[in-house]
Amino acid sequence: MTEYQKNILVGALFIAGILSIISGAFIITLMLAAGIIFFSTARRTTPLEN
């Protein structure tokens, strides 16, 4: 996933989270927040060599 695609995904999850807070769906909000945190902090790491 490219950085541009990741930024779009995080933005879409953020907007969906705001809308679910407004509608009162707090369980969905927590799941979206977890997705936002995961995709915004996930980094490509190189595997460690033995």
Side-chain angles (χ1 to χ4, degrees), residues 9-42:
L9 178 64
V10 169
L13 289 174
F14 182 75
I15 291 171
I18 295 294
L19 292 175
S20 63
I21 287 173
I22 292 171
S23 69
F26 295 111
I27 295 174
I28 296 172
T29 303
L30 291 175
M31 292 189 318
L32 288 172
I36 291 169
I37 291 168
F38 176 76
F39 284 111
S40 66
T41 59

Side-chain angles (χ1 to χ4, degrees), residues 2-3 5-6 15 18 32 34 39 43-44 47-48 50:
T2 64
E3 284 294 318
Q5 290 173 333
K6 193 187 323 181
I15 291 171
I18 295 294
L32 288 172
F39 284 111
R43 290 191 169 83
R44 295 182 192 167
L48 297 175
N50 292 333

